[in-house]
Amino acid sequence: MHISPNRGTKEALISILFLFSLFLFSVKANASTCKIKQPENFAIFFKNFSANNPFAVARTVYPLRYLKWEYGLDEKGNDDSSPVLMFITKSQDQSGISLLSYMQENNLAFEIKEVSKKTATVTIFQAQSDWKLEYHFVQKNRCWFLREIENLSP
C-alpha cells in the first residue's frame, strides 16, 4: 500500500529541503573566508567574534536563523510554548555594534555552555533576570561560524 502525502506536506517538505540547501550553500560560501590548517580554538574565536563586528559578520551563516520563543498556555491550560522562526540577513546584521559592546551596554554576561568537535553553544544572559539568548555555532573546515540565535527570554 502506498500512501501519498497531501499537498501541504509536499509543499512543507520542498520548503524544508530548500532552506537546508540554502544553509549548506551559506556554510560552504563562508568557509572560504577562513583558511587555517588546525582546528580553531573556540574560546579564542569567540573572543574575536564578540569584539569585532566585521569578523562576526564574516563568520555568520546567512540568512541567520533566529528563533524567538513565545510562551503561553492553550485554553485547557497545557503548555503551548513554541519558537517562531525568523531570518536575519547580512545587511540587517552588519550595521549593528559588536556583541561585546551590546553586552556591556546592557549589563550582560556570557557563558560558553558546550563545545564539541563540530558544535558550540554560548549563553548570553543578564544576572537575576530571565533575559537569555543562546548562540549556536558550527565548525566547518576547522573554522567556527554562527548558525543560529535562540531567544529564550519571555
Side-chain angles (χ1 to χ4, degrees), residues 51-117:
N52 181 336
N53 199 49
F55 177 80
V57 169
R59 293 297 199 85
T60 299
V61 177
Y62 293 102
L64 176 63
R65 291 172 48 92
Y66 182 87
L67 293 172
K68 169 67 176 133
W69 277 86
E70 299 291 334
Y71 299 97
L73 301 174
D74 65 14
E75 61 278 349
K76 295 180 182 177
N78 298 317
D79 184 9
D80 193 27
S81 303
S82 63
V84 175
L85 176 62
M86 296 174 263
F87 292 94
I88 298 171
T89 65
K90 186 174 184 176
S91 62
Q92 291 171 315
D93 198 28
Q94 65 190 4
S95 60
I97 62 171
S98 73
L99 179 58
L100 182 61
S101 295
Y102 181 78
M103 289 190 303
Q104 289 169 343
E105 288 176 9
N106 292 284
N107 197 28
L108 303 173
F110 75 91
E111 181 179 357
I112 297 174
K113 284 294 206 180
E114 68 177 71
V115 179
S116 71
K117 268 186 152 179

Side-chain angles (χ1 to χ4, degrees), residues 120-139:
T121 301
V122 175
T123 301
I124 298 172
F125 61 95
Q126 190 175 58
Q128 300 182 2
S129 81
D130 52 8
W131 199 100
K132 182 177 173 182
L133 290 173
E134 287 192 346
Y135 279 57
H136 300 279
F137 296 87
V138 63
Q139 190 177 68

